[in-house]
Amino acid sequence: MEYLATNDPYVLWNSLYERYGHLRSVILPNARSEWKPSSYKTLSVAVAIIVAINIVVAMAVAIIKVVDIIKIIIIYLVQQPASPPVSHAHSHSLLLRSPSYSHGLSTSHSLSLTAVSPTSPSFLKNSTSASPNRRWLRLLLRRFPTSVKLRPSLKFWLKWLKKGSTEISCERKIFFFLCVVVAAVIKFSFAVVKPLPLTSLLLHLEMGELAADKHVKYIISVEKKKDSFESVVMEHLRLNGAYWGLTTLDILGKLDAVDEEDVISWILKCQDESGGFAGNIGHDPHVLYTLSAVQVLALFDKVDILDADKVSNYIVGLQNEDGSFSGDIWGEVDTRFSYIAICCLSILQRLDKINVDKAVEYIVSCKNLDGGFGCTPGGESHAGQIFCCVGALAIAGALHHVDKDLLGWWLCERQVKSGGLNGRPEKLPDVCYSWWVLSSLIMIDRVHWINKDKLVKFILDCQDMENGGISDRPDDAVDVFHTYFGVAGLSLLEYPGLKPIDPAYALPVDVVNRIFFSKK
């Protein structure tokens, strides 16, 4: 409603751009995903076929040019008699007809070339006569004005002829011609083969495929193992786990594999009287779990069942005077909580209830000299904190505070030789940073600074191909956390068959569009 009161179209456009500009990076992938191949192997075969066709066509064009040259030579040898030097008074025209002209001349056209005076400065300065041998070389130069690869060789022989005799035997003409053809073929071969993306093609062929069905079975099986050791030690953040698993299912297009009513009923039981949500029934509320609850309800299009004012009042009460946010009543401050508060209130469409300017000011105060962000002012730059700060600034329409080139350089330096990404310098790669780093690069328009193919291969190598799930690194134990961030990272990389995900809200694009652009 705030934009409807704006009368100046320029101000309205800038306001909308600041608010929704980051969505441009995910709207187009959403449209493109409808016609993408079902697997990278299919894509590799298609690319290989296209490259092969291009090579064949290019070689055919080269052969046509060579044949055309041969025809000109034959016509010259047959029709051009040994004639005396051309004088000023008797300039003549050399008329050639060829059945195939590849440079815009049809078969009904003729190529006319008037001989040049032997005393002309543009011909031969130190010669008293014009040789037919020089004329046919000049004819070739003019006959193929666009043949970039042939002209240097022909010019070489023309210069050689200037220094040599005025008459050359037919055998030597053919020898010179063959040398020109060989040189042209060699140059053409290097020109065609050099730019081919052979490394990229081989990398695609080496990639495995996303075991989507096995990942779905793995996520569902985790929910059923409530008595396992992993389930017990993670009981306090089960709501976060629900968000990771259910969002993964939605990206894979399998959200209907779970019982919607059971999930929503359980989530509502996790809500505290204060309006916030706990990680599980009977635990203390925290903004971390409050955002996960709102995001899961958004997946099922059930945000309207919440008392939005009650939930938003809980979050508003956690903002401090300096603009920062505490995670709960115990007062821990972190830029993660700033992102969570801004993102959650935006989904609830209650962002105007907090002091956004102060929140932005605090986030900017956490920016470091390397372009990154820390958890508090002066804190070490970390990829996870950078996502939180950049995401919060994107949602608040304040990305102009980010030095995109400096931050982009720091982020792209997180890619290691294996193709994976780490969170800080000198750390091991981890699949989860496929989300933290990649989403930040997308929001600042610097995602092209990393090798996407190698990152895709790294994520796919971290799969458990037998039981499903994705681990932090190849051959490690899998978990729901890394399974979500691995699949979400592949979605950001536009992997075929996955729903596109919004880099700021960490929700599928269709869910975000439904929240902000539905007619409810």
Side-chain angles (χ1 to χ4, degrees), residues 55-71 100 102 144 150 177 181 184-185 188:
I55 294 176
V56 172
V57 172
M59 294 183 66
V61 172
I63 293 173
I64 291 173
K65 289 183 178 181
V66 172
V67 171
D68 220 3
I69 295 176
I70 295 175
K71 288 181 179 179
S100 62
S102 59
F144 296 94
L150 296 178
F177 163 72
V181 172
V185 170
F188 169 77

Side-chain angles (χ1 to χ4, degrees), residues 1-16:
M1 295 300 294
E2 57 182 301
Y3 301 118
L4 298 179
T6 305
N7 295 324
D8 189 340
Y10 181 76
V11 174
L12 175 61
W13 170 257
N14 285 336
S15 300
L16 289 173

Side-chain angles (χ1 to χ4, degrees), residues 246-431:
L246 293 171
T247 306
T248 303
L249 292 178
D250 198 10
I251 295 173
L252 295 171
K254 300 294 184 180
L255 188 59
D256 56 356
V258 299
D259 190 317
E260 177 182 334
E261 293 184 0
D262 288 347
V263 173
I264 295 175
S265 174
W266 171 74
I267 288 177
L268 293 178
K269 293 178 182 178
C270 294
Q271 188 172 21
D272 185 73
E273 294 180 356
S274 61
F277 285 81
N280 207 336
I281 300 173
H283 289 254
D284 294 336
H286 197 285
V287 289
L288 281 169
Y289 316 122
T290 301
L291 175 61
S292 292
V294 172
Q295 288 173 318
V296 171
L297 292 175
L299 292 176
F300 293 107
D301 195 16
K302 296 295 184 180
V303 177
D304 55 344
I305 69 174
L306 287 175
D307 185 342
D309 289 327
K310 185 177 182 179
V311 177
S312 60
N313 288 337
Y314 168 75
I315 297 174
V316 171
L318 295 174
Q319 186 173 26
N320 303 309
E321 293 184 2
D322 61 354
S324 64
F325 282 85
S326 300
D328 54 16
I329 59 174
W330 306 109
E332 180 188 7
V333 175
D334 195 308
T335 47
R336 291 180 300 156
F337 309 147
S338 296
Y339 164 77
I340 290 170
I342 292 174
C343 182
C344 191
L345 291 174
S346 179
I347 294 174
L348 296 173
Q349 302 188 33
R350 298 291 192 279
L351 193 57
D352 57 337
K353 298 185 70 171
I354 62 171
N355 191 327
V356 177
D357 292 337
K358 275 196 170 184
V360 169
E361 184 179 345
Y362 177 77
I363 293 173
V364 173
S365 71
C366 298
K367 184 167 65 173
N368 295 319
L369 295 176
D370 55 14
F373 294 83
C375 58
T376 55
E380 179 187 8
S381 294
H382 188 281
Q385 305 297 150
I386 289 172
F387 160 77
C388 293
C389 294
V390 173
L393 294 176
I395 295 172
L399 274 177
H400 58 276
H401 290 290
V402 178
D403 187 334
K404 297 180 180 180
D405 286 338
L406 184 60
L407 177 58
W409 178 258
W410 190 92
L411 289 170
C412 76
E413 283 291 302
R414 304 281 61 77
Q415 189 165 37
V416 300
K417 291 182 179 179
S418 65
L421 300 166
N422 59 27
R424 290 175 292 168
E426 303 301 326
K427 295 294 183 178
L428 294 175
D430 193 313
V431 161

Side-chain angles (χ1 to χ4, degrees), residues 81-285:
S83 57
V86 181
S87 64
H88 287 279
H90 298 88
S91 62
H92 65 278
S93 296
L94 177 62
L95 184 63
L96 297 178
R97 293 181 180 273
S98 178
S100 62
Y101 285 113
S102 59
H103 294 278
L105 298 176
S106 65
T107 56
S108 61
H109 289 80
S110 298
L111 179 63
S112 179
L113 202 153
T114 303
V116 185
S117 171
T119 58
S120 172
S122 63
F123 192 52
L124 299 175
K125 294 182 179 180
N126 300 323
S127 177
T128 58
S129 63
S131 169
N133 303 293
R134 298 189 184 98
R135 286 203 302 274
W136 72 263
L137 279 172
R138 288 188 176 280
L139 173 62
L140 290 179
L141 288 174
R142 297 184 184 184
R143 174 64 181 81
F144 296 94
T146 60
S147 184
V148 181
K149 298 299 179 183
L150 296 178
R151 286 179 63 88
S153 299
L154 295 174
K155 287 182 177 179
F156 168 79
W157 294 113
L158 182 59
K159 291 180 180 179
W160 189 87
L161 284 173
K162 289 181 181 180
K163 299 178 181 179
S165 62
T166 58
E167 294 296 335
I168 301 178
S169 65
C170 180
E171 291 78 6
R172 294 189 68 183
K173 291 177 187 177
I174 296 176
F175 173 73
F176 295 152
F177 163 72
L178 291 177
C179 291
V180 171
V181 172
V182 171
V185 170
I186 293 174
K187 290 181 180 180
F188 169 77
S189 299
F190 280 107
V192 171
V193 175
K194 186 176 180 181
L196 291 181
L198 298 179
T199 303
S200 179
L201 285 176
L202 291 175
L203 189 60
H204 283 167
L205 294 174
E206 291 176 1
M207 287 181 184
E209 292 189 14
L210 181 66
D213 292 338
K214 291 185 178 180
H215 296 328
V216 172
K217 292 180 180 179
Y218 165 73
I219 292 172
I220 295 175
S221 68
V222 170
E223 171 59 23
K224 296 179 180 179
K225 299 177 181 178
K226 296 181 180 180
D227 296 330
S228 64
F229 172 77
E230 293 83 358
S231 179
V232 172
V233 297
M234 302 294 286
E235 179 187 0
H236 63 288
L237 45 77
R238 188 181 173 203
L239 192 47
N240 287 150
Y243 160 72
W244 299 328
L246 293 171
T247 306
T248 303
L249 292 178
D250 198 10
I251 295 173
L252 295 171
K254 300 294 184 180
L255 188 59
D256 56 356
V258 299
D259 190 317
E260 177 182 334
E261 293 184 0
D262 288 347
V263 173
I264 295 175
S265 174
W266 171 74
I267 288 177
L268 293 178
K269 293 178 182 178
C270 294
Q271 188 172 21
D272 185 73
E273 294 180 356
S274 61
F277 285 81
N280 207 336
I281 300 173
H283 289 254
D284 294 336

